[in-house]
């Protein structure tokens, strides 16, 4: 299963931050808590390529990961209202055609996020069978996708983008607080590396400029000065 990037959304390989973390390039409680195993970031439209790039893992790489957690009224508070996790919640009805058509994409979102992040839960709730215990979690229609942020469970954010894997993953990294902190840590580390690289290049250029320009000039001046002193002595 491969989903390509569309429109103004562009993403990098989800394994990038994983490699950075295990190389010791990303640190901090946020990265450790999240598992720090993946990273998705948006590119400005000006940097987009004409040919979209694949970025999702193959199904074989997701073996052992967990799909969406089925929530019922008795587990709603435990799962959705858990303040230690950002929870992506699908409110659906089994008979809804749109819900059926997005099933595979939502499944892939769950497999990716559950594999790489311990602070994110992807869940689903059959709202046609029983209403949500919390008033804030009322669907506008089926399907409705909401994000219950770890920092604000009383005010869930409704997802209004395309119901496709890459779009939903990209939106999660823009909206979910635990993922945003991880992205910020990665960006700061990358900025520091770029600054250090620029400093090293500048030092290298300055050193060779001195060797190629300054030192020969000083040597010529020294020789000229020595010749003038000999002429005066004569």
């Amino acid at each position: 299963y491969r989903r390509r990037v569309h429109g103004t959304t562009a993403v990098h390989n989800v394994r990038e931050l994983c490699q950075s973390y295990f190389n010791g390039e990303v640190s901090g409680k946020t990265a450790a808590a999240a598992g720090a195993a993946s990273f998705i970031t948006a590119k400005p439209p000006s940097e987009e390529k004409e040919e979209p790039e694949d970025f999702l893992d193959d199904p074989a790489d997701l073996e052992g990961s967990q799909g969406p957690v089925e929530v019922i009224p008795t587990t709603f508070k435990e799962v959705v209202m858990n303040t230690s996790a950002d929870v992506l919640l699908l409110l659906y009805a089994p008979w809804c055609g749109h819900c059926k058509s997005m099933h595979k994409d939502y499944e892939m979102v769950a497999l990716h996020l559950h594999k790489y992040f311990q602070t994110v839960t992807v869940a689903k709730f059959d709202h046609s069978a029983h209403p949500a215990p919390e008033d804030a979690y009322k669907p506008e229609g089926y399907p409705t996708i909401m994000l219950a942020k770890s920092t604000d469970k009383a005010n869930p954010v409704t997802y209004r983008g395309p119901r496709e894997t890459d779009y939903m993953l990209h939106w999660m990294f823009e909206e979910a607080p635990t993922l945003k902190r991880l992205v910020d840590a990665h960006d700061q580390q990358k900025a520091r590396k770029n600054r250090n690289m620029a400093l090293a290049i500048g030092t290298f250029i300055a050193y060779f400029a001195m060797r190629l320009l300054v030192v020969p000039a000083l040597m010529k001046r020294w020789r000229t000065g020595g010749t003038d002193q000999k002429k005066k002595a004569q």
Side-chain angles (χ1 to χ4, degrees):
Y1 176 85
R2 289 277 184 173
R3 176 71 64 186
R4 290 185 175 274
V5 182
H6 308 282
T8 60
T9 301
V11 286
H12 292 300
N13 196 297
V14 296
R15 304 178 185 86
E16 179 181 335
L17 189 59
C18 175
Q19 193 62 49
S20 299
Y21 176 71
F22 289 111
N23 287 343
E25 298 171 1
V26 176
S27 60
K29 293 182 179 179
T30 302
S38 176
F39 177 63
I40 304 173
T41 186
K43 293 166 64 179
S46 60
E47 296 181 15
E48 288 183 357
K49 300 177 180 178
E50 292 184 5
E51 284 295 323
E53 56 180 319
D54 290 332
F55 77 98
L56 298 178
D57 284 359
D58 288 316
D61 297 329
L62 296 170
E63 188 174 350
S65 186
Q66 182 184 8
V69 177
E70 186 71 52
V71 179
I72 57 176
T74 55
T75 61
F76 193 94
K77 185 174 182 180
E78 176 188 352
V79 176
V80 180
M81 308 305 286
N82 177 11
T83 55
S84 65
D86 293 314
V87 182
L88 187 65
L89 179 66
L90 169 65
L91 302 172
Y92 75 99
W95 44 260
C96 167
H98 292 297
C99 300
K100 293 177 181 178
S101 66
M102 67 162 291
H103 170 76
K104 190 172 184 178
D105 284 275
Y106 197 72
E107 179 82 12
M108 288 295 289
V109 170
L111 292 174
H112 276 84
L113 293 179
H114 287 162
K115 177 180 178 180
Y116 294 119
F117 301 101
Q118 298 174 5
T119 57
V120 176
T121 300
V122 179
K124 59 183 181 179
F125 182 79
D126 182 359
H127 195 274
S128 66
H130 24 244
E134 300 291 331
D135 292 337
Y137 295 85
K138 303 267 187 205
E140 300 173 353
Y142 298 126
T144 293
I145 301 172
M146 293 182 168
L147 172 62
K149 296 184 178 182
S150 55
T151 55
D152 189 5
K153 294 294 182 178
N155 298 289
V157 180
T158 301
Y159 174 72
R160 303 187 185 282
R163 301 183 191 110
E164 298 180 14
T165 304
D166 48 4
Y167 286 103
M168 289 186 281
L169 284 172
H170 175 264
W171 183 77
M172 281 293 287
F173 274 82
E174 288 185 331
E175 295 291 338
T178 58
L179 300 184
K180 287 175 67 177
R181 287 196 295 269
L182 186 58
V183 169
D184 290 342
H186 178 273
D187 288 345
Q188 290 171 10
Q189 179 68 30
K190 194 170 184 178
R192 283 194 295 269
K193 289 177 67 176
N194 290 340
R195 285 196 298 269
N196 292 339
M197 178 64 73
L199 179 61
I201 293 173
T203 303
F204 180 81
I205 292 174
Y207 171 76
F208 276 93
M210 184 181 68
R211 289 289 303 271
L212 296 174
L213 301 175
V214 178
V215 173
L218 290 174
M219 291 295 293
K220 183 177 180 181
R221 184 176 178 182
W222 178 77
R223 291 196 202 95
T224 304
T227 303
D228 290 343
Q229 287 180 1
K230 288 180 181 180
K231 287 181 179 180
K232 288 180 181 180
Q234 293 176 354

